[in-house]
Amino acid sequence: MQSSRLVRAVFAALVLATAVAFVLTQALKTEIPVVLRFATAPLAISPNGDSVRDEATVGFDLTEPAEVSFSIIDRDGAPVRELVDDEELAGDAKHRYTWNGRDDDGEVVPDGTYRMRVVRRKEGRIVNSYKTIEVDTRPPRVTLRSATPGVVDPSGGEPVSIRIRYRGPRTAHPELRVWRTDAAPPEVVRRFRGGPDRSGTWNGRDSADGELVPDGDYAFQVRVRDRAGNETLAPPAAGARPRSAAPGPPSAAAARPGTGVAVRRLTLVGPLTVVAAGSVARLEVGPDERPFRFALTRLGSPKEIRDGRRSGGALRVHLPDDARTGVYVVRVRSRGREAAWPLAVAGLPPRGVAPDRPRPLVVLPAITWQGASPHDSDLDGFAETLRDAGSIPVPRPLANGRMPPRFAGEISPLLRFLDRARLAYDLTTDLALARGEGPALGNAPGIAIAGTATWLPRGVRDRLREEVERHGKPAIAFGAASLRRTVDLDGGRLRFPSPPRPDDLFGERTELESVEPPAPLSVERDRLGLLEGVDGLFGEFGLVERSVSLPDDARLLTGAGREPGEPAFVAYRLGEGIVLRPGTPEWARRLEERTLDDEVPAITRRVWRLLGRG
């Protein structure tokens, strides 16, 4: 009986407690909270000092007067910045404050997510916001994806439309910049806004007067801000750290293939090996199919051997069966532009020279033509050469459709002189030698490198030295600072160019000097009879490449220079053969008829007889 009364008492107490709790809950539900809501704008900041979203407006609304503290707390709930310290604030009001992303010590807080807190200490109440503020000081990752098409020809009459795409945060109006990189120095030719789809379209015109830009290489930069206000310029400016927004031209090292544009109104590509007389030379006219005129001439002659009209990209030029050995030039004209390409033709000897007579082999430095001629092959917006790239394709268009670098000053005068003087020669290129095509080094009595040969394939270098040292052949290298670098020929590409060596492939060390005013060379020694009849002085040169030291075991046979004991023109015994060097890159120019120079042509004739005797 007593147990039953106890159970009933406990049950009644539980019912009463439940009723009281229900009443309190209903009262709390109907009570209006003192802190009605929290506010922040923007939702993300980047307190990095660039005055863009460096701070946020934060705060709360009070429904009634209250004494509160207000602070920013981190992810773990620890206060980092107190903005209000137990202040009596008005009710039915909005209270807003500025937070600059720093803690109470004035230091920038770590990147992360932060919330707001209101504390009523007297009532023992704490209210934390659900709204967050993101602190982010890291620049966004942005990379250019593509620029299409990669080659454009504005001369066709069709509107130019180049689409640039990038990866990165989506923003309403990214800024795109167009840099002309083949200008000196590089310059911005256009700025424009892209769209929210992470792309922009360039119409091929500049900002100055709205004209179509000239032929050249163009790279793009995109400037993007993320929602926190961090800015990235991609690719970064040259010399800037990755993803920085430092102003300046884009970095070639950071450019990706396929993200630049080459503006080309006419291009021409042809063979760089030897073409036999009576065969067909195959060339390609670009950058798109179009009607064009062409003409084939022999170097130094205005007479057109072949001419005609064609349509399309391919051009086949048939060389005459009786073509004589030499360089022939193909010229193409289209839409007011002209491009030229040299052809090394192996044909008949000059008239009056027996076909079976041994002829010196002239080697054209075609690899140097390609290696030194700037061209944007991978369409990254930057032209590359073997001086600044580890690999380039071969063949490729020559810069601006013109003849190769140094051709007019070093090679053309020499070949035209040989033709005028009826000095027989065979012709090849270093590329043909590397591929085993055309005349070979082993069949020539002597060898002449026509013009500066900066790079040689390693196999050609080794065979050339062997022909001189072991097989007793004379060799002359025209140009300046030649034969100091090697390169690998890997299928259709030139790869792994070596750094320049202080000595050339024969072991001679030289130094190029400027002479002001130009002065002649003085004969010091002439055991080969090459300098006979020049009365002690010859030529007039403003650039002289003096010999610093000859190869080990070499013996100087002929020498002439500006100062005693410092020969520039040299001929020395090396092994079983003889190496000659004119000692100036201006030698070929002294062979032109307009110079009225008698001594340099006479010396060249004697050198040629030496090369022909072997």
Side-chain angles (χ1 to χ4, degrees):
M1 189 68 172
Q2 187 175 2
S3 175
S4 297
R5 285 197 297 269
L6 180 60
V7 170
R8 285 195 297 271
V10 170
F11 177 75
L14 289 173
V15 170
L16 179 61
T18 301
V20 171
F22 177 76
V23 171
L24 290 175
T25 301
Q26 293 303 310
L28 288 173
K29 284 185 177 180
T30 59
E31 180 183 348
I32 299 175
V34 174
V35 180
L36 189 62
R37 72 184 183 95
F38 287 92
T40 178
L43 297 176
I45 62 173
S46 55
N48 52 22
D50 65 354
S51 300
V52 178
R53 296 199 177 189
D54 280 346
E55 56 191 28
T57 298
V58 295
F60 52 93
D61 298 352
L62 287 181
T63 58
E64 63 183 43
E67 183 179 308
V68 300
S69 295
F70 178 57
S71 59
I72 306 296
I73 60 175
D74 62 17
R75 186 186 297 270
D76 298 327
V80 297
R81 178 70 182 275
E82 190 170 55
L83 298 173
V84 177
D85 183 17
D86 288 340
E87 292 184 20
E88 184 73 27
L89 300 180
D92 193 19
K94 297 179 180 181
H95 300 279
R96 299 293 183 263
Y97 306 91
T98 298
W99 182 46
N100 59 4
R102 298 176 181 271
D103 59 21
D104 288 328
D105 295 327
E107 300 294 331
V108 175
V109 299
D111 286 5
T113 302
Y114 295 83
R115 292 181 296 156
M116 294 166 283
R117 171 178 290 172
V118 172
V119 177
R120 298 180 69 186
R121 290 190 175 86
K122 291 182 178 179
E123 286 78 12
R125 292 190 179 187
I126 298 177
V127 182
N128 293 333
S129 69
Y130 288 104
K131 286 188 176 181
T132 61
I133 312 162
E134 197 73 24
V135 175
D136 180 7
T137 58
R138 295 168 299 178
R141 292 185 177 274
V142 180
T143 56
L144 289 181
R145 291 176 53 197
S146 63
T148 53
V151 180
V152 295
D153 172 17
S155 66
E158 297 294 328
V160 175
S161 180
I162 302 160
R163 188 76 175 274
I164 305 101
R165 294 179 171 87
Y166 69 91
R167 290 188 182 91
R170 189 183 296 273
T171 183
H173 301 292
E175 179 193 6
L176 289 109
R177 304 172 184 177
V178 186
W179 288 84
R180 184 178 180 186
T181 61
D182 62 324
E187 59 182 355
V188 175
V189 298
R190 185 70 183 271
R191 298 174 188 260
F192 62 97
R193 292 289 181 178
D197 60 347
R198 303 185 183 94
S199 73
T201 302
W202 180 42
N203 61 3
R205 297 180 182 273
D206 60 27
S207 297
D209 49 19
E211 296 293 326
L212 289 167
V213 297
D215 284 18
D217 302 309
Y218 296 85
F220 299 99
Q221 278 181 320
V222 58
R223 186 167 67 95
V224 177
R225 289 189 183 274
D226 61 16
R227 71 189 192 112
N230 297 294
E231 181 183 85
T232 290
L233 190 65
R241 56 187 179 84
R243 302 200 309 276
S244 80
S251 167
R256 301 173 63 240
T259 59
V261 167
V263 177
R264 303 280 186 265
R265 286 171 172 81
L266 181 63
T267 59
L268 180 62
V269 181
L272 287 172
T273 53
V274 182
V275 183
S279 65
V280 174
R282 293 173 171 81
L283 301 96
E284 189 73 23
V285 181
D288 54 10
E289 294 190 359
R290 83 267 301 285
F292 59 86
R293 290 182 57 89
F294 81 94
L296 173 70
T297 60
R298 181 182 169 87
L299 181 67
S301 172
K303 181 181 178 181
E304 294 183 352
I305 303 170
R306 296 275 191 270
D307 66 345
R309 294 177 180 269
R310 296 287 188 273
S311 182
L315 172 60
R316 294 160 56 91
V317 179
H318 184 271
L319 294 162
D321 295 338
D322 60 351
R324 302 194 176 274
T325 295
V327 169
Y328 292 70
V329 181
V330 177
R331 299 188 186 277
V332 170
R333 295 178 179 87
S334 177
R335 299 173 183 170
R337 297 292 175 119
E338 180 177 300
W341 191 268
L343 297 176
V345 176
L348 302 176
R351 291 180 177 85
V353 177
D356 57 349
R357 178 180 173 182
R359 299 188 291 273
L361 180 60
V362 174
V363 181
L364 299 177
I367 288 175
T368 297
W369 295 349
Q370 288 283 274
S373 180
H375 182 78
D376 185 7
S377 304
D378 58 3
L379 298 178
D380 65 351
F382 295 86
E384 69 271 2
T385 69
L386 279 180
R387 291 188 177 92
D388 51 41
S391 170
I392 64 170
V394 58
R396 58 183 190 162
L398 296 170
N400 302 316
R402 298 172 183 168
M403 294 294 279
R406 298 184 177 180
F407 187 91
E410 295 182 357
I411 296 170
S412 176
L414 173 63
L415 296 182
R416 294 170 68 173
F417 167 76
L418 296 179
D419 290 340
R420 287 198 313 272
R422 295 185 181 274
L423 298 175
Y425 60 94
D426 281 334
L427 188 64
T428 188
T429 70
D430 48 9
L431 185 63
L433 291 175
R435 291 177 171 171
E437 302 174 8
L441 293 174
N443 297 329
I447 302 156
I449 307 295
T452 298
T454 304
W455 296 275
L456 272 186
R458 291 171 176 83
V460 175
R461 174 201 63 182
D462 295 342
R463 291 201 302 274
L464 179 57
R465 178 152 184 161
E466 182 180 14
E467 290 296 323
V468 173
E469 285 191 295
R470 296 184 57 188
H471 299 289
K473 295 183 180 179
I476 185 170
F478 292 92
S482 285
L483 312 177
R484 282 169 166 73
R485 304 180 69 169
T486 57
V487 67
D488 286 350
L489 179 61
D490 182 8
R493 298 191 72 86
L494 297 169
R495 301 181 184 274
F496 311 120
S498 71
R501 298 167 48 186
D503 305 336
D504 65 19
L505 71 88
F506 298 112
E508 183 187 11
R509 182 168 299 187
T510 63
E511 187 173 292
L512 190 63
E513 297 176 342
S514 178
V515 180
E516 185 61 39
L521 300 182
S522 175
V523 178
E524 297 182 24
R525 179 182 303 182
D526 187 21
R527 294 183 179 177
L528 292 176
L530 300 176
L531 308 180
E532 290 181 359
V534 299
D535 197 24
L537 298 173
F538 63 92
E540 193 172 80
F541 307 107
L543 282 174
V544 172
E545 188 175 14
R546 66 182 181 87
S547 181
V548 176
S549 62
L550 293 178
D552 295 339
D553 301 326
R555 181 163 57 94
L556 183 65
L557 302 175
T558 296
R562 291 180 55 248
E563 301 291 339
E566 296 182 352
F569 183 103
V570 296
Y572 55 87
R573 175 73 66 181
L574 184 66
E576 299 297 321
I578 295 174
V579 176
L580 302 96
R581 190 173 52 78
T584 171
E586 299 171 344
W587 186 272
R589 288 194 180 276
R590 304 299 301 179
L591 297 173
E592 295 176 334
E593 288 182 292
R594 60 183 176 84
T595 63
L596 302 177
D597 191 320
D598 293 328
E599 291 128 342
V600 171
I603 295 170
T604 305
R605 288 187 179 90
R606 296 189 189 102
V607 168
W608 216 254
R609 286 197 294 268
L610 175 63
L611 297 177
R613 288 198 304 267

